[in-house]
Amino acid sequence: MRVLSWNVWWRFGPWEARREAIASTLARLDCDLVGLQEVWDDGGENLAGWLADRLGMHWTWAPSDRPGRWHARLDGSTADVGDAVLSRWPITDRAVLRLPAEGGRDDGHRALFALVDAPVHPVPFFTTHLNSGPHESAVRCAQVAALAGFVAGFRDRSPFPPVLTGDYNALPDSDEMRLLGGYRTAPPVPGQVLLDAWEYADPAAPATTWDPANPYAALTREPPGRIDYIHVGPPGPGGAGHVQAVRRVGDAPVGGVWPSDHAAVLAELASP
C-alpha cells in the first residue's frame, strides 16, 4: 500500500501549472492513499476533486473556518483552504476535528479522518496541518494531544493500524513530535504509539521536506527541515501496516515547474 503526504501550497505561485505538476507526480507514483494539506476550493472547483477526477480516485475534504489570513496573503483571492484525502478505494466514513489554537494564531486548522474500504481490512486514515509559527511549539503540543485523542476514537474500527499524514511544521526532535509518537515521552493517550515512518528510511536518503533547494521555499529564508510526516500505529495481524520503505518525492520540477514549496513523503506499507 503506497501512502503519501503532501502540502500542495494552496493557490500561491503559478497554481494552474503547479496543479498539472502535482497531478503528473501523483499519477507517476500510483499512490493508494494520499493526505493533502493547503488544498483550495474556489466555489466552483476543488483541487482534491480535480485531482481525484484525473486519477480515478475517491476523495473527501475539510475546509478551514478561518481562511482570512490566506486571503490577506494573496490579494484578491477568496478561495477556501483545507485538508483532503484521496483514496483508491471507497471512503465509507469520515469525521473532522477542529484543532485547538489557544495561545497562538487561529487559522481554523482541522484533522480529517477517512475510513477507507481497502482490501482485506479497512484503513483508518488521517490528515492534518498544524500551526506554523516557530514559537508555537506549545500550541502544536496541544494540537497533537487533541489529534491523538481523535485517532484513539477511530483506531479500533479495523485491525489495520491508523495511518496519519500531515504538515506538522515541527522538527522530529521537537516536543510536539515526541509527544505525538508516544514512544520518546509519555503518550497523550495511554498506551497509544504512532511510529514515524521515516525512521525506516535509508539514513543516507535526503530527508528535508522544507528545502531551500526549492526556490519557493528559499524565498522565506527559513532553514531546511523535515516537517512533513507519515505516522503509523504498530503493525496489525500479519504485519499489516509495517513500513517497508519510505522516501522523499515531489522534490524536483516537472516540466520546469516545481509542484509545491514542500516536498512530499511516500511510504510503502505492508498490506496482507
Side-chain angles (χ1 to χ4, degrees):
M1 181 182 297
R2 297 167 69 83
V3 174
L4 182 133
S5 182
W6 205 356
N7 179 320
V8 290
W9 204 35
W10 195 51
R11 291 281 281 259
F12 295 114
W15 65 269
E16 291 175 301
R18 290 198 306 99
R19 74 173 178 174
E20 292 289 345
I22 292 165
S24 175
T25 301
L26 293 177
R28 175 176 53 82
L29 294 172
D30 194 27
C31 299
D32 299 304
L33 292 169
V34 178
L36 298 175
Q37 305 86 45
E38 292 194 30
V39 173
W40 56 258
D41 184 303
D42 65 9
E45 190 171 51
N46 181 290
L47 174 60
W50 183 86
L51 289 168
D53 288 344
R54 286 280 294 264
L55 301 168
M57 302 181 82
H58 303 268
W59 70 287
T60 185
W61 99 298
S64 164
D65 58 7
R66 292 178 63 89
R69 185 174 71 92
W70 302 90
H71 299 163
R73 293 169 64 194
L74 193 60
D75 186 43
S77 179
T78 59
D80 284 333
V81 61
D83 307 308
V85 171
L86 306 179
S87 171
R88 183 181 302 277
W89 306 289
I91 296 169
T92 59
D93 196 9
R94 70 184 293 279
V96 177
L97 173 71
R98 177 57 148 84
L99 295 176
E102 185 176 355
R105 184 179 58 224
D106 187 355
D107 286 334
H109 287 308
R110 302 183 176 218
L112 172 62
F113 160 72
L115 186 64
V116 175
D117 190 21
V120 185
H121 299 304
V123 178
F125 189 81
F126 302 80
T127 196
T128 194
H129 186 190
L130 304 188
N131 275 34
S132 62
H135 62 287
E136 292 184 292
S137 177
V139 178
R140 289 188 290 270
C141 282
Q143 290 176 334
V144 301
L147 175 62
F150 189 54
V151 171
F154 295 101
R155 70 185 185 195
D156 293 335
R157 297 282 294 273
S158 172
F160 202 97
V163 180
L164 285 68
T165 61
D167 171 6
Y168 292 90
N169 284 304
L171 298 173
D173 62 350
S174 64
D175 287 349
E176 50 269 45
M177 299 315 300
R178 294 170 64 249
L179 182 65
L180 178 64
Y183 54 100
R184 289 194 168 93
T185 190
V189 175
Q192 179 171 278
V193 166
L194 300 167
L195 303 169
D196 180 354
W198 197 265
E199 294 190 14
Y200 293 86
D202 179 348
T208 54
T209 58
W210 184 258
D211 189 347
N214 180 322
Y216 298 137
L219 288 173
T220 68
R221 294 178 171 80
E222 295 174 357
R226 181 165 70 88
I227 60 173
D228 302 86
Y229 297 82
I230 296 172
H231 283 80
V232 188
H242 170 63
V243 180
Q244 297 178 316
V246 62
R247 60 191 173 98
R248 189 181 74 175
V249 295
D251 54 357
V254 178
V257 177
W258 285 82
S260 175
D261 59 342
H262 285 242
V265 180
L266 176 70
E268 298 183 17
L269 309 181
S271 181

